[in-house]
């Protein structure tokens, strides 16, 4: 069916996977609900997305048994859907279906952003949108690798030094059109750790957009103190 809204400009939605258990953080509860610098990790993340005017709406993917989100992010004004899966890829795929149910179209853009990357700056998200909005494929925030890269072997000893030239580490947001990302994730299965790799598997080359080192993913116990320091000292 063709409607007037089908012809309107593509919108940008944000999709925030927030259904993980945070095993590596070892905090005894989902890391996205830990308090740092006065509020929770996910509340910082959602506040950053809310400061980007081109993001029309944000959908947060929660675990089916989540009973905390509303209390941990009381200012959130978007959609929350308890459709989380067993893996991050599963949660993102379910989130895309939830967006489609709420009216997002195949050509609309989706910015997938980890709940656990609470230091993302609105200016970096704007830069990603600027770089991708007229692109045929889409892209991601990423950083050129600065350290020398080692392949570990037996007993945490170096087996090999890898060539770091031309290597980047992938961050989020990752921005792709809903229809393409849906197809890509359906083919890629559950083992991928980011959206771009699913898009790459279809033969496309996502655009690398320079991110910032602050936008790291809170993963290990020590990451929380660093994030707290940065949040308290960054304007
Ligand atoms: N995530 C999700 N659904 C899952 C697994 C992860 O929505 N089944 C989300 C997390 O909540 C997080 C983001 O994906 O915001 C990035 O994942 P990761 O850092 O791996 O978080 P966890 O899976 O929670 O942590 P860990 O792997 O240490 O258990
Ligand atoms: Mg994980």
């Amino acid at each position: 069916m063709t409607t007037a809204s089908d012809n309107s400009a593509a919108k940008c939605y944000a999709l925030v996977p927030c259904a993980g258990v945070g095993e590596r953080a070892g905090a005894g509860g989902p890391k996205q609900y830990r308090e740092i610098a006065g509020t929770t990790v996910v509340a910082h993340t959602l506040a950053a997305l809310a400061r980007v005017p081109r993001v029309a709406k944000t959908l947060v993917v929660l675990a089916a048994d989540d009973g905390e989100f509303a209390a941990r992010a009381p200012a959130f004004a978007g959609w929350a859907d308890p459709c989380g899966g067993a893996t991050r890829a599963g949660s993102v795929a379910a989130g895309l279906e939830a967006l489609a149910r709420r009216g997002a179209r195949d050509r609309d853009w989706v910015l997938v952003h980890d709940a656990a990357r609470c230091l993302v700056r609105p200016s970096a998200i704007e830069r990603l949108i600027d770089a991708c909005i007229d692109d045929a494929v889409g892209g991601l925030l990423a950083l050129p690798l600065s350290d020398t890269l080692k392949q570990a072997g037996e007993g945490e000893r170096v087996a090999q030094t890898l060539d770091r030239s031309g290597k980047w580490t992938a961050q989020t947001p990752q921005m792709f059109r809903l229809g393409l990302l849906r197809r890509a994730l359906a083919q890629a299965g559950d083992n991928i750790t980011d959206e771009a790799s699913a898009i790459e598997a279809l033969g496309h080359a996502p655009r690398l957009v320079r991110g910032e080192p602050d936008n790291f993913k809170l993963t290990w116990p020590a990451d929380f103190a660093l994030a707290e320091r940065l949040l308290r000292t960054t304007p």
Side-chain angles (χ1 to χ4, degrees):
M1 191 178 78
T2 304
T3 65
S5 69
D6 285 333
N7 298 322
S8 61
K11 286 186 176 176
C12 294
Y13 293 95
L15 193 170
V16 176
C18 185
V21 294
E23 199 178 319
R24 286 170 291 177
K31 61 189 178 185
Q32 57 272 27
Y33 298 140
R34 271 183 66 174
E35 291 237 350
I36 55 169
T39 186
T40 57
V41 168
V42 68
H44 285 293
T45 305
L46 296 173
L49 286 165
R51 286 168 57 198
V52 180
R54 277 182 290 179
V55 172
K57 200 86 172 182
T58 295
L59 182 133
V60 179
V61 176
L62 304 176
D65 60 352
D66 187 299
E68 288 189 78
F69 174 75
R72 305 286 183 177
F76 178 59
W79 297 315
D81 195 306
C83 60
T87 62
R88 182 184 177 286
S91 293
V92 172
L96 293 178
E97 300 312 312
L99 275 175
R101 283 197 300 277
R102 288 168 171 84
R105 303 153 305 177
D106 279 359
R107 71 169 181 281
D108 288 330
W109 291 101
V110 181
L111 283 81
V112 179
H113 183 66
D114 293 322
R117 282 184 203 271
C118 60
L119 286 135
V120 67
R121 292 205 183 102
S123 56
I125 304 172
E126 297 275 9
R127 207 159 62 240
L128 177 70
I129 296 174
D130 287 341
C132 295
I133 196 92
D134 293 322
D135 196 272
V137 179
L140 63 148
L141 290 182
L143 275 183
L145 196 64
S146 52
D147 295 323
T148 301
L149 192 59
K150 304 292 186 189
Q151 174 65 56
E154 293 284 305
E156 292 201 351
R157 286 177 173 278
V158 175
Q160 202 188 343
T161 297
L162 304 172
D163 179 14
R164 77 168 171 223
S165 59
K167 295 201 173 54
W168 295 57
T169 53
Q171 302 183 333
T172 71
Q174 303 203 356
M175 172 170 169
F176 298 104
R177 291 187 189 268
L178 175 78
L180 178 63
L181 188 53
R182 237 172 159 180
R183 281 200 305 283
L185 289 177
Q187 294 214 2
D190 262 2
N191 287 331
I192 48 148
T193 53
D194 76 344
E195 289 59 57
S197 49
I199 300 285
E200 292 153 38
L202 292 186
H204 301 294
R207 185 176 284 275
L208 290 163
V209 180
R210 207 172 271 255
E212 285 147 8
D214 287 11
N215 184 25
F216 63 89
K217 183 161 63 68
L218 276 68
T219 303
W220 306 103
D223 293 340
F224 292 81
L226 175 58
E228 169 118 27
R229 278 208 306 280
L230 289 167
L231 282 166
R232 288 202 185 281
T233 54
T234 310

